[in-house]
């Protein structure tokens, strides 16, 4: 592949970074929209992630805690497999970052109706993925292949209260655990190979949903920034002494039922990546970050009850670009450049109040070409996404 000429070559880039006092290290995301998937729950994923006003399973608390008031007694077990294709170009040389071909992401949801107004449940879901390059890029002689891995597990015990037959509020306590690892990349002291580090943190989400007419339901949610413990082993690699929090996010949604058996849902969400120093700081800051911008995400989906036993879904999600062209140098380990998802999904109702749901998502590739201090560093990613979930209702 032929690339445009640059002022960096493979051999001079590490020296240039060191001279500038720059460091790198951050896991690649497993979704178009940063390190979060386009939606939580296999059903929501099949509709492009649209879910704030349309709870469909016991993963609803991950999208809007109030939705748990309307899903009934149920247990959901799911597994998604993400097949990412990350890559980067340094000074005209291409590097393949898909050393890990498939990333499993499990999910779990349980909800119990206490009485006509109250329910208790828990949604368990995750963020993160692995990038592993086919060779060393930034390290010195003897360094291993560049790569990074992030796994975040969030457990959300949830209480939901019906204010009326058609309106509810909910609150979730978000208990988070994360594991982080970077290989082949020296920190500001020239040290690499720090191994796997972990930390824990907590936050909360609140939400409301209400049916405002026979055909229209609205929803809103707010998720506080989850303050995670510092990743001490990477205090000289990540800004703010190893900071890596889960960002604040908030959004609104609508679900419309224009005719019997059809529902159309749409969400508008904001994710404040830029408020976290290790993510939002610019490449040229005293403590460099990835230069990520705060992001606006719009998503829309439709579901059709094709038969009494079969529901078909489709959806689309678009996120504004979070990777700035001046900051691509540190994003080769986090090439979260795609902006568009297209999804297909289905649910088959089976005997014994069980359901089988499936999803396929195509994350279209997008490249961001470096400029200014990142001239010559281009990053890109595309993905395929498949998943399935079983549900038991009573």
């Amino acid at each position: 592949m032929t690339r445009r000429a640059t002022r960096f070559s493979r051999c001079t880039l590490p020296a240039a970074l060191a001279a500038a006092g720059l460091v790198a290290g951050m896991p690649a995301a497993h979704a178009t929209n940063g390190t979060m998937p386009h939606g939580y729950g296999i059903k929501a994923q099949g509709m492009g992630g649209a879910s704030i006003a349309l709870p469909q399973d016991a993963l609803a608390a991950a999208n809007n805690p109030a939705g748990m008031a309307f899903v009934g007694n149920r247990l959901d077990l799911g597994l998604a497999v993400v097949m990412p294709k990350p890559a980067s170009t340094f000074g005209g040389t291409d590097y393949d970052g898909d050393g890990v071909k498939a990333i499993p992401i499990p999910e779990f949801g349980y909800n119990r109706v206490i009485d006509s107004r109250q329910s208790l449940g828990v949604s368990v879901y995750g963020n993160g993925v692995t990038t592993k390059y086919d060779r060393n890029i930034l390290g010195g002689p003897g360094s291993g292949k560049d790569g990074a891995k992030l796994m975040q597990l969030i457990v959300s015990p949830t209480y939901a209260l019906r204010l009326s037959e058609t309106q509810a509020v909910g609150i979730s306590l978000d208990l988070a655990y994360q594991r982080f690892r970077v290989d082949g990349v020296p920190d500001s002291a020239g040290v690499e190979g720090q191994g796997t580090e972990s930390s824990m943190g907590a936050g909360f989400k609140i939400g409301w949903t209400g049916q405002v007419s026979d055909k229209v339901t609205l929803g809103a949610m707010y998720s506080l920034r989850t303050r995670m413990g510092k990743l001490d082993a990477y205090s000289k690699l990540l800004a703010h002494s190893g900071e890596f929090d889960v960002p604040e996010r908030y959004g609104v949604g609508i679900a419309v039922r224009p005719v019997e058996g059809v529902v159309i849902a749409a969400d508008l969400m904001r994710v404040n990546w830029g408020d976290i120093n290790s993510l939002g700081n610019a490449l040229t800051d005293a403590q460099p970050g990835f230069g990520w911008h705060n992001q606006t995400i719009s998503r829309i989906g439709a579901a059709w009850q094709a038969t009494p036993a079969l529901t078909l879904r489709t959806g689309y999600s678009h996120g504004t670009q979070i990777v700035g062209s001046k900051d691509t140098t540190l994003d080769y380990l986090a090439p979260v450049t795609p902006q568009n998802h297209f999804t297909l999904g289905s649910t088959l109702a089976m005997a014994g109040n069980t359901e089988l749901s499936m999803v396929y998502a195509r994350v279209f590739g997008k490249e961001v070409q470096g400029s200014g201090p990142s001239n010559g560093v281009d990053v890109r990613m595309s993905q395929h996404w498949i998943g399935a979930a079983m549900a038991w209702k009573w």
Side-chain angles (χ1 to χ4, degrees), residues 272-311:
N272 290 331
W273 305 103
D275 293 350
I276 300 171
N277 290 339
S278 57
L279 300 179
N281 285 5
L283 178 67
T284 53
D285 285 354
Q287 296 186 65
F290 295 86
W292 286 9
H293 307 303
N294 291 342
Q295 184 180 43
T296 300
I297 300 165
S298 53
R299 49 200 192 190
I300 187 168
W304 173 44
Q305 189 78 44
T307 73
L310 179 64
T311 302

Side-chain angles (χ1 to χ4, degrees), residues 91-310:
T93 300
D94 292 333
Y95 296 94
D96 183 354
D98 65 347
V100 177
K101 302 297 183 182
I103 313 298
I105 303 175
E107 62 181 34
F108 168 84
Y110 174 81
N111 194 60
R112 181 76 179 183
V113 176
I114 301 174
D115 55 35
S116 60
R117 297 187 63 198
Q118 304 176 90
S119 68
L120 286 174
V122 61
S123 299
V124 182
Y125 49 101
N127 303 316
V129 79
T130 299
T131 293
K132 189 173 182 65
Y133 280 88
D134 54 358
R135 69 191 79 176
N136 174 255
I137 302 175
L138 293 185
S143 295
K145 297 177 179 179
D146 288 20
K149 183 175 183 179
L150 172 72
M151 183 278 289
Q152 290 178 335
L153 178 69
I154 302 174
V155 180
S156 297
T158 301
Y159 172 75
L161 174 68
R162 287 199 186 202
L163 304 176
S164 67
E165 286 298 312
T166 59
Q167 296 196 46
V169 294
I171 185 168
S172 297
L173 174 65
D174 291 339
L175 304 173
Y177 170 80
Q178 66 182 359
R179 291 170 63 87
F180 179 84
R181 181 185 180 98
V182 172
D183 293 305
V185 182
D187 63 18
S188 60
V191 178
E192 59 182 89
Q194 293 90 342
T196 300
E197 179 66 287
S198 62
S199 68
M200 296 184 290
F204 71 88
K205 288 194 301 291
I206 57 174
W208 165 84
T209 186
Q211 185 176 341
V212 297
S213 73
D214 291 342
K215 296 182 180 296
V216 178
T217 301
L218 301 178
M221 62 80 63
Y222 172 79
S223 180
L224 183 73
R225 171 174 171 171
T226 301
R227 302 280 179 173
M228 304 296 294
K230 297 293 180 67
L231 297 167
D232 293 333
Y234 292 94
S235 62
K236 295 181 180 180
L237 192 64
L238 298 173
H240 209 237
S241 301
E243 173 192 78
F244 204 101
D245 294 342
V246 180
E248 173 191 48
R249 59 191 173 101
Y250 45 89
V252 294
I254 184 172
V256 180
R257 293 169 173 81
V259 297
E260 183 70 23
V262 174
V263 58
I264 300 170
D267 294 344
L268 185 65
M269 178 173 286
R270 184 75 167 173
V271 183
N272 290 331
W273 305 103
D275 293 350
I276 300 171
N277 290 339
S278 57
L279 300 179
N281 285 5
L283 178 67
T284 53
D285 285 354
Q287 296 186 65
F290 295 86
W292 286 9
H293 307 303
N294 291 342
Q295 184 180 43
T296 300
I297 300 165
S298 53
R299 49 200 192 190
I300 187 168
W304 173 44
Q305 189 78 44
T307 73
L310 179 64

Side-chain angles (χ1 to χ4, degrees), residues 38 76 94 158 295 312 320 340 365:
H38 59 282
D76 292 90
D94 292 333
T158 301
Q295 184 180 43
L312 300 176
T320 57
N340 302 303

